Amino acid sequence: MADFTRLQGYPLPTYPEQLGGYKTQGYTTPVQDRMPQVFHIPPRRVLPIIFLPGIMGSNLRMSAVRQQQLGKSNNVAWRPDSNIESIKIGRADAIQRQLQLDPEQTEVDEYDPLTNPTGDPDESADERHSNAKVDFFYALNVSIETPLLMDDPPTASPCKSKDQKARERGWGEVYFDCYRTLLETCELQLNTAFQYGVMNDYWKQIIDVSPTVWQAHPQPLLAPLERSTLRAAIENIWFPVHAMGYNWLKASSTSACRLAERINSLMQRYQEQGFQCEKVIIVTHSMGGLVARALIHPAMGNMKDKILGMVHGVMPAIGAGATYKRMRCGFEDSLFKLTPKILGNYGNKVTSVLANAPGALELLPSQSYGNGWLQVTRDDQTLLSLPVHGDPYEEIYKLKDVWYGLLRKDWINPANHKKAGTLRTTGMLERAKRFHEAVTNTFHDQSYAHYGADQTKAAWHRVVWLLEGSSQFTDISKLTIERDNMQGRLRLSVPVESRRTIGDCKALSAHLMPPEDSGDQTVPTHSADHQLRSGKFKGIFRQTGYEHQDSYNNNKVLHSTLYSLVRIAETMRWSK
């Protein structure tokens, strides 16, 4: 809301009526009293900002059947904000991980104080979602009938706290510790940009500042945001910020359909409250960008007409080599972040989850990623470079009994689930391929993006196995795994029939090389640049200075995000 100017005078109470009408009541004063009585009517237009988190950024709960099977006192499947739950899953073996993070037995842990679906009768919904707290106040004097996060007066019925309102907005169903800075910054700055006609100090970091300060790419060329543009874009509009989690284990198309239902329901709820709500704006992090693209695809979410624009953050636009690396070698010990560590520092623990999760497999490099990104080298010579024909699904992911393939058969189904196994995972990979083909060029007409292009935050564009040993055996596809430490070090056996011709050498060693390509330690710039190469974006920010998971805690990211949101908002044309 740009400028909610309060005129001097006696403020009169407002009574919101059905369908958004207002009534008030005045009172008589002595003739000598010249002070006017003022009736303030707040804006009725609402343009919700909806945030979609990355993989592992949505909290999940499990079914009652799976909770009982695992003997858990509650139904938490994934909640990185909870230290207790994080420690538990951090210590869990591959069997429990497969069962606890089963896409068919999990759903988003949405806030629901009425039915309290926590799986623990002693834990309320507010206790479960206590990670979401509102520790800020608006510098505004407004009536209580607003979509802002404000405590209801004690006499209201029902009486909700601002924390409860934030949880209703989904703030507690995402990794709040990671995303709260973004949620709070957008909520505060978009709704308090002007106070009594004066622009607040925060916006001085954005207004009349060249976007090159936030490392905007020159194509397309972005002009500085002017104060008059900011005022016109957000004047007399509320911008309530919502977060919507999704089951990142399931296919992005499935998540998109569920999100479409929730967004339609949200818009209808605002309309029933008397607000004019015609569009929403989507902000994403990482995998959330893929889900958002599915959300506007006509064969999936089919929501393009109700979305004004999108801001994508650190999106693996055509996949990430890190997905292959982590399924084979686990998450990086060098990243002192709780979330990657609790997902698994060993390949078998990661594969037991991701090989059974359609959504996670969609983060693998797609056919648009190009050829030659998986390599085997020895003595500075490249012995193998895949894919050759632009099909990583057939040339890498579906390979059986080949040491450099994606899947270790004995890691896929440690829980001996009757439906799981290589055949089912192969089917998921085929569906991932079709999904990639469908969304390769699917972008909203009003799209902006920011992502890492930092050589000091190297990521895996190319994934390289280095062979070492005295053997000169060259048919490396026939080497077999003798030992695997599940963190990127292998001992490979040379076939018996080959040893007779090359001497007594029985084995070679192999280890996976560290990343060498620019990015954000997870998504390589090569993948994120697909957005730039598409030519469909209104603005691109190729940035440095942050790691993937914490990108929205970086000021360049926050400022470029707010810039992008205002540019999108200024395109809004209301029906009345």
Side-chain angles (χ1 to χ4, degrees):
M1 183 180 59
D3 187 3
F4 196 72
T5 304
R6 308 293 287 188
L7 300 176
Q8 289 188 346
Y10 295 117
L12 299 180
T14 59
Y15 302 95
E17 298 296 300
Q18 190 176 11
L19 298 180
Y22 273 85
K23 70 177 183 180
T24 188
Q25 55 187 25
Y27 46 91
T28 59
T29 61
V31 174
Q32 296 84 354
D33 187 349
R34 299 292 185 178
M35 185 72 74
Q37 299 178 28
V38 181
F39 173 37
H40 291 284
I41 301 177
R44 304 308 298 167
R45 289 173 171 172
V46 171
L47 185 53
I49 309 295
I50 299 177
F51 173 66
L52 305 182
I55 188 171
M56 303 180 293
S58 302
N59 299 324
L60 305 179
R61 61 185 176 226
M62 67 186 74
S63 67
V65 172
R66 189 53 52 87
Q67 178 186 349
Q68 183 179 17
Q69 182 180 354
L70 294 176
K72 284 178 60 68
S73 60
N74 61 37
N75 62 12
V76 170
W78 180 259
R79 184 166 278 273
D81 276 316
S82 169
N83 290 333
I84 293 175
E85 294 298 332
S86 296
I87 291 171
K88 286 180 180 179
I89 198 167
R91 294 173 176 173
D93 60 17
I95 295 174
Q96 181 170 338
R97 288 170 183 272
Q98 180 186 350
L99 294 174
Q100 186 163 323
L101 293 171
D102 180 348
E104 301 306 318
Q105 296 292 329
T106 50
E107 64 181 6
V108 177
D109 197 356
E110 297 178 25
Y111 175 71
D112 184 358
L114 296 179
T115 61
N116 188 35
T118 63
D120 179 359
D122 296 324
E123 181 183 28
S124 69
D126 279 300
E127 289 171 330
R128 170 66 65 84
H129 292 260
S130 62
N131 58 316
K133 299 180 183 298
V134 181
D135 295 326
F136 61 82
F137 296 91
Y138 303 95
L140 293 171
N141 179 20
V142 298
S143 65
I144 65 169
E145 180 62 13
T146 81
L148 299 183
L149 299 175
M150 302 171 66
D151 291 330
D152 286 338
T155 56
S157 181
C159 181
K160 296 179 182 178
S161 70
K162 57 185 179 180
D163 290 344
Q164 290 174 316
K165 292 179 180 180
R167 292 162 193 164
E168 287 180 342
R169 290 213 202 152
W171 287 25
E173 68 187 56
V174 300
Y175 187 4
F176 189 66
D177 185 57
C178 181
Y179 296 127
R180 74 177 302 164
T181 301
L182 171 71
L183 298 174
E184 291 178 348
T185 299
C186 291
E187 175 70 25
L188 270 176
Q189 302 311 325
L190 289 172
N191 289 302
T192 63
F194 292 89
Q195 300 160 40
Y196 303 100
V198 179
M199 186 178 72
N200 75 30
D201 287 342
Y202 186 95
W203 283 95
K204 293 177 182 178
Q205 304 172 84
I206 301 173
I207 297 302
D208 295 326
V209 174
S210 171
T212 57
V213 171
W214 317 307
Q215 297 178 282
H217 192 272
Q219 297 296 328
L221 185 64
L222 298 177
L225 189 64
E226 298 179 349
R227 174 189 167 116
S228 58
T229 303
L230 172 65
R231 179 185 289 275
I234 66 177
E235 192 168 27
N236 294 323
I237 303 171
W238 301 111
F239 292 88
V241 178
H242 293 255
M244 289 190 180
Y246 56 90
N247 191 339
W248 41 272
L249 299 166
K250 292 188 175 182
S252 295
S253 57
T254 301
S255 295
C257 291
R258 171 60 182 147
L259 286 169
E261 294 174 355
R262 295 185 68 184
I263 293 172
N264 279 321
S265 177
L266 173 67
M267 295 178 68
Q268 182 179 353
R269 186 160 68 248
Y270 276 121
Q271 292 163 5
E272 290 173 348
Q273 292 171 354
F275 293 102
Q276 186 179 356
C277 182
E278 300 175 355
K279 301 273 188 177
V280 302
I281 300 176
I282 305 293
V283 178
T284 74
H285 181 249
S286 191
M287 181 183 179
L290 299 183
V291 176
R293 287 157 68 187
L295 184 62
I296 61 173
H297 195 283
M300 300 178 200
N302 196 28
M303 286 286 289
K304 186 175 181 179
D305 290 344
K306 294 185 179 179
I307 295 173
L308 183 61
M310 293 185 171
V311 180
H312 293 298
V314 297
M315 176 169 59
I318 49 176
T323 308
Y324 168 96
K325 182 270 171 187
R326 291 165 179 173
M327 289 183 70
R328 284 300 307 267
C329 313
F331 279 76
E332 299 77 70
D333 283 324
S334 61
L335 291 179
F336 296 100
K337 302 294 180 183
L338 181 61
T339 307
K341 286 184 175 294
I342 61 180
L343 190 59
N345 288 127
Y346 293 90
N348 68 325
K349 291 186 176 183
V350 177
T351 296
S352 68
V353 176
L354 301 195
N356 297 290
L361 293 174
E362 292 168 356
L363 298 179
L364 287 163
S366 72
Q367 56 271 56
S368 299
Y369 203 82
N371 290 326
W373 59 265
L374 179 63
Q375 300 175 2
V376 179
T377 66
R378 181 172 61 192
D379 299 330
D380 295 326
Q381 292 185 331
T382 300
L383 305 179
L384 183 73
S385 185
L386 295 175
V388 175
H389 305 293
D391 191 345
Y393 316 92
E394 299 295 334
E395 298 181 64
I396 300 173
Y397 310 147
K398 295 182 183 180
L399 291 179
K400 295 180 180 179
D401 302 321
V402 178
W403 67 271
Y404 48 77
L406 172 70
L407 300 173
R408 290 290 309 272
K409 183 179 179 180
D410 51 332
W411 294 358
I412 295 175
N413 188 22
N416 290 320
H417 192 288
K418 62 181 180 179
K419 293 183 179 180
T422 304
L423 184 62
R424 186 175 74 156
T425 300
T426 298
M428 292 178 182
L429 288 166
E430 188 59 38
R431 289 191 291 276
K433 178 179 181 178
R434 293 196 295 269
F435 172 75
H436 288 152
E437 291 171 343
V439 302
T440 294
N441 296 309
T442 300
F443 297 105
H444 195 281
D445 297 336
Q446 293 289 334
S447 288
Y448 292 77
H450 54 264
Y451 52 84
D454 194 337
Q455 191 62 49
T456 69
K457 306 292 184 184
W460 280 278
H461 166 199
R462 289 171 290 272
V463 182
V464 181
W465 287 99
L466 176 63
L467 280 179
E468 295 178 310
S470 59
S471 173
Q472 295 304 306
F473 181 68
T474 57
D475 192 357
I476 60 175
S477 64
K478 293 185 178 179
L479 296 172
T480 57
I481 297 175
E482 184 178 309
R483 287 200 303 270
D484 186 343
N485 77 344
M486 298 179 287
Q487 290 190 311
R489 291 194 173 272
L490 309 174
R491 180 176 173 85
L492 302 170
S493 294
V494 177
V496 174
E497 63 272 17
S498 300
R499 296 177 199 165
R500 301 189 186 101
T501 60
I502 63 173
D504 294 328
C505 181
K506 298 180 179 180
L508 294 169
S509 64
H511 68 271
L512 193 129
M513 299 292 286
E516 296 184 346
D517 306 293
S518 68
D520 62 13
Q521 294 183 311
T522 295
V523 175
T525 308
H526 166 74
S527 176
D529 268 346
H530 178 70
Q531 299 163 97
L532 178 62
R533 294 188 295 267
S534 75
K536 296 185 176 183
F537 279 66
K538 297 297 185 180
I540 296 281
F541 298 86
R542 299 174 86 251
Q543 299 170 324
T544 58
Y546 54 79
E547 179 270 331
H548 183 81
Q549 187 66 36
D550 288 338
S551 61
Y552 276 113
N553 291 314
N554 180 277
N555 279 332
K556 284 185 291 190
V557 171
L558 293 173
H559 294 164
S560 59
T561 297
L562 285 170
Y563 172 94
S564 302
L565 288 172
V566 174
R567 288 300 187 194
I568 293 171
E570 71 171 322
T571 68
M572 182 65 192
R573 300 295 179 264
W574 298 89
S575 63
K576 58 181 178 180

